[in-house]
Each structure stands twice: as C-alpha cells, then as structure tokens.
C-alpha cells in the first residue's frame, strides 16, 4: 500500500519540482515562456506589417496634394479596397483553418468542394447564353445573393446527403466534391471553347480572382454574413480543438462529432461563398495562409491560430498588391502570383518530411 501511494505521488512531486526549477513553464497551448514571447512578437510584427501595407496602399502615390479634398476622396476609394482585402483574408483564413480541422487533413482547402468551379460555371454560362452582356447581367446585389444561396445550398445538400445517417463518410464527401468540381470545370471549358475571341477575353477577366471584381454594393450583404459565420467559428475555437483530436476521441470526450462537423462545414461554406462570389477564385490563398499561420503561431489551439491566420492573409494579400502595383506596375497579376506561390508551398508541404 505504501509503495503504491509513493508511486502515485512521485509524478506529482516530479511535476512540482520541474515547475519550481522552470517557473516560466505552464500547461496550456503556449506552455513555455519562450513560446509565449515568440507568439506575441510574431503577432506584433504581423500587426505592424498589416498597418504598414494598409496605410501604404491608401496614401502611397496619391496624385493629389496631401490634405486636399481630392486626396481624401482618393484615399476613401482606396480604403474600400482595403476593406475588401481584409474581408477576403478573413474569409479565406478562418474557412481554411476550420475546414482542415473538420476534415482532419492539413493539405486540402475548402475549394475542393467545388465553390470556385461553380463560380466559373455561372460566369461562363452567362456569357455563353447572353454573350458579352452576360457579364453585366449577373452583376448586382440580387444576383450576388443568388450566387451565395446557390453555393451554400449546393454544399449543404452535399453535406446533408453524405454525412447524414449512420454510414456518413467524410472522405467520400470530399471525393464527391472533387468529382463535382471536375465535372463543372469540364462543362465550363466546353462552353468556353465555343465562345468568340471577344467574349472569351471578357470572360477571362472575370475568372481570375481580383479585388477589382468586387462591387461596393455587395458589402452590406457580404460583411454581415462573413462576420457572423467567422465570429461563430471563433467562439467555438475550443470545440474545434476537440474536433482536431479525431472522431473517436471527440466522441469519448462527450462531443457530438457529426453535428459539430456539420455546423463547421456550414459556416465554412458561407465564408467561402462570400469570398468567391465577391472577388472570384483564390484557390491557394487559404492553403498558403493556413500553412504559414500554423508555422508562425507554433500551436494548434485555434484561439491563437485564427488571429495569426487572418493577419497573415491580409499581409500576404495587401503586400502582394502594394509591391505589384508600386514596384512592378502590374497589379492585375496579383492573383496569379499568389496562386503560383501558394502552389509552390503546397508542393513543398506535400514533399517535405517534416511535421505537418
């Protein structure tokens, strides 16, 4: 009896001695003092970079004299673009991190569910049926809301069909999403081959993700939807931490894994629908941001990963626009550069032999 009591007390005694020897170490997501300092330093640097690029995009190369009416008018117009960048970064970052957690896979993005393929199909169908006027016909708040409803409705129908019942399978859902996306992409490509050169040129400008695609009249709808879905995911960060442990572990801890997964996927579909319908496809932006966020935050706690991910997304997006606009004078290719860098990071991430 005495031996068993000593054996039980030994780990507690060792832990007490370790904590006295290293008082800066605690239990939690940021256990060591060095890790906590590093996290807050990284967060501070990201905030400074975000403010620097944001202010730079507003005031840099403003042709009007500083403080004049024209200067503030141009600054106000540029501020709208900053808001759109922040909204897209928020949607992509929160959606990708949450989607990877729900699927327990760090090498996929929500675009795998066919959001971008559906966007391309809608844009292509409009030009194919109505000609060049089709681009204008699908612009407007009503059309924007219809695209959101179509994207979210399709994704939830897919989730409800493949995740409901006792034989619900997340992997099959992902495979079906890939097949649907590929099918929509094939149909879009077929219609594009039948377009005239002038129609194809007009359509191509809409198929690249760009801040210039966004209409300010969409913001009263897009901002509340994105904030509502994003805040709900942020408030459920602790539940996401449990979901990340896996299905069996989360169920053993008393979590309704299927319900929580469905809720996360529903909120993710709203965020991705808003981002895609607002500016167009940004396939690898979310993956790039999520990968960098985990590396920079050095923790798996979503309460700490989400802020780093959002700031990283804004820094990447605004920094790319600032550099391409003011250094290379080619702001129209920003999405292409982001996709190229994101694709490269994806390949490196897949091929490397380090930890995820």
């Amino acid at each position: 009896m005495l031996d068993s009591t000593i054996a039980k007390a030994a780990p507690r005694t060792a832990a007490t001695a370790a904590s006295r020897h290293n008082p800066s170490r605690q239990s939690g997501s940021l256990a060591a003092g060095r890790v906590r300092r590093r996290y807050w330093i990284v967060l501070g640097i990201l905030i400074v970079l975000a403010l620097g690029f944001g202010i730079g995009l507003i005031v840099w190369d403003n042709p009007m004299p500083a403080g004049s009416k024209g200067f503030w008018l141009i600054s106000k117009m540029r501020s709208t673009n900053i808001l759109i960048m922040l909204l897209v970064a928020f949607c992509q970052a929160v959606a990708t991190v949450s989607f990877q957690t729900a699927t327990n896979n760090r090498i996929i993005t929500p675009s795998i569910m066919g959001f971008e393929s559906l966007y391309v199909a809608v844009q292509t169908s409009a030009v194919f049926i109505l000609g060049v006027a089709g681009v204008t016909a699908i612009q407007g708040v009503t059309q924007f809301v219809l695209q959101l409803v179509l994207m979210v409705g399709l994704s939830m129908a897919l989730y409800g069909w493949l995740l409901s019942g006792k034989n619900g399978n997340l992997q099959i859902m992902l495979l079906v999403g890939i097949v649907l996306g590929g099918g929509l992409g094939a149909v879009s490509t077929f219609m594009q081959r039948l377009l005239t050169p002038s129609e194809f040129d007009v359509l191509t400008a809409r198929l690249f993700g760009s801040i210039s695609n966004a209409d300010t009249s969409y913001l009263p709808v897009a901002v509340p939807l994105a904030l509502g879905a994003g805040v709900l995911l942020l408030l459920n960060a602790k539940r996401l931490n449990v979901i990340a442990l896996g299905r069996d572990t989360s169920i053993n801890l008393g979590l309704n894994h299927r319900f929580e997964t469905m809720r996360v996927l529903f909120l993710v579909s709203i965020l991705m629908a808003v981002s895609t319908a607002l500016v167009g496809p940004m396939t690898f932006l979310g993956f790039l941001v999520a990968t960098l966020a985990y590396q920079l935050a050095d923790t798996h706690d979503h309460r700490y990963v989400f802020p780093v991910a959002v700031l990283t997304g804004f820094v990447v997006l605004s920094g790319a626009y600032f550099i391409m606009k003011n250094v290379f004078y080619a702001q129209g290719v920003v999405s292409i550069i982001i996709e190229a860098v994101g694709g490269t990071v994806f390949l490196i991430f897949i091929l490397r032999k380090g930890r995820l």
Side-chain angles (χ1 to χ4, degrees):
M1 178 67 72
L2 181 60
D3 292 339
S4 62
T5 303
I6 294 175
K8 293 180 180 179
R12 293 195 296 269
T13 304
T16 303
S19 63
R20 290 176 180 174
H21 179 71
N22 186 10
S24 63
R25 184 168 184 84
Q26 303 175 3
S27 62
S29 304
L30 304 175
R34 176 183 59 82
V35 177
R36 291 193 296 273
R37 288 193 297 271
R38 178 184 179 279
Y39 175 83
W40 293 113
I41 290 173
V42 168
L43 193 67
I45 293 174
L46 289 174
I47 292 175
V48 172
L49 288 174
L51 291 175
F53 284 127
I55 295 174
L57 284 171
I58 293 175
V59 303
W60 190 272
D61 199 27
N62 192 319
M64 303 302 293
S68 65
K69 183 178 180 180
F71 177 87
W72 292 115
L73 181 62
I74 294 175
S75 298
K76 181 179 179 181
M77 294 173 61
R78 293 181 175 180
S79 299
T80 303
N81 290 335
I82 300 298
L83 175 60
I84 295 172
M85 290 182 194
L86 182 59
L87 182 62
V88 172
F90 179 82
C91 291
Q92 292 281 343
V94 176
T96 304
V97 172
S98 301
F99 187 78
Q100 290 179 347
T101 298
T103 57
N104 198 22
N105 193 319
R106 292 272 300 278
I107 62 173
I108 60 177
T109 66
S111 60
I112 199 174
M113 301 309 300
F115 292 101
E116 296 172 358
S117 298
L118 182 60
Y119 172 85
V120 172
V122 170
Q123 300 288 328
T124 304
S125 299
V127 177
F128 180 78
I129 296 172
L130 301 175
V132 176
V135 174
T136 306
I138 58 176
Q139 294 181 4
V141 178
T142 303
Q143 293 85 338
F144 176 74
V145 173
L146 287 176
Q147 288 188 63
L148 293 179
V149 172
L150 184 61
M151 291 181 183
V152 176
L154 179 63
S155 62
M156 290 313 300
L158 185 63
Y159 300 153
W161 171 41
L162 295 173
L163 293 182
S164 62
K166 61 179 181 180
N167 296 321
N169 192 307
L170 192 61
Q171 285 70 34
I172 293 179
M173 182 199 72
L174 297 177
L175 291 175
V176 172
I178 295 174
V179 172
L180 290 177
L184 289 172
V187 173
S188 300
T189 302
F190 174 75
M191 289 189 291
Q192 291 170 15
R193 294 294 296 269
L194 300 178
L195 298 177
T196 64
S198 59
E199 292 173 342
F200 183 77
D201 288 341
V202 173
L203 174 64
T204 302
R206 296 289 302 177
L207 299 185
F208 284 106
S210 176
I211 301 300
S212 61
N213 290 338
D215 191 328
T216 55
S217 62
Y218 301 164
L219 294 180
V221 177
V223 171
L225 283 174
L227 285 180
V231 169
L232 286 175
L233 287 171
L234 293 173
L235 293 177
N236 285 276
K238 293 184 178 180
R239 291 179 178 269
L240 287 171
N241 294 339
V242 178
I243 294 174
L245 298 176
R247 179 179 179 276
D248 294 337
T249 303
S250 59
I251 291 176
N252 290 335
L253 292 174
L255 194 69
N256 188 337
H257 183 268
R258 180 172 296 168
F259 172 77
E260 294 296 336
T261 300
M262 286 285 292
R263 180 166 63 174
V264 170
L265 292 176
F266 171 66
L267 296 175
V268 166
S269 66
I270 294 177
L271 291 174
M272 287 303 299
V274 169
S275 175
T276 305
L278 188 64
V279 300
M282 290 275 187
T283 305
F284 284 108
L285 176 62
F287 173 81
L288 177 63
V289 167
T291 302
L292 293 176
Y294 278 111
Q295 299 297 323
L296 294 174
D298 197 23
T299 179
H300 293 274
D301 192 333
H302 291 76
R303 293 174 298 174
Y304 298 101
V305 174
F306 277 140
V308 173
V310 173
L311 286 172
T312 302
F314 181 75
V315 168
V316 169
L317 201 55
S318 61
Y321 267 90
F322 181 83
I323 293 173
M324 297 305 296
K325 176 184 177 182
N326 298 293
V327 177
F328 298 101
Y329 304 100
Q331 59 179 340
V333 300
V334 169
S335 61
I336 302 175
I337 299 299
I338 292 177
E339 299 299 305
V341 174
T344 303
V345 172
F346 178 81
L347 292 176
I348 294 174
F349 190 77
I350 290 292
L351 297 176
R352 58 177 280 187
K353 293 183 179 181
R355 61 186 177 89
L356 296 181

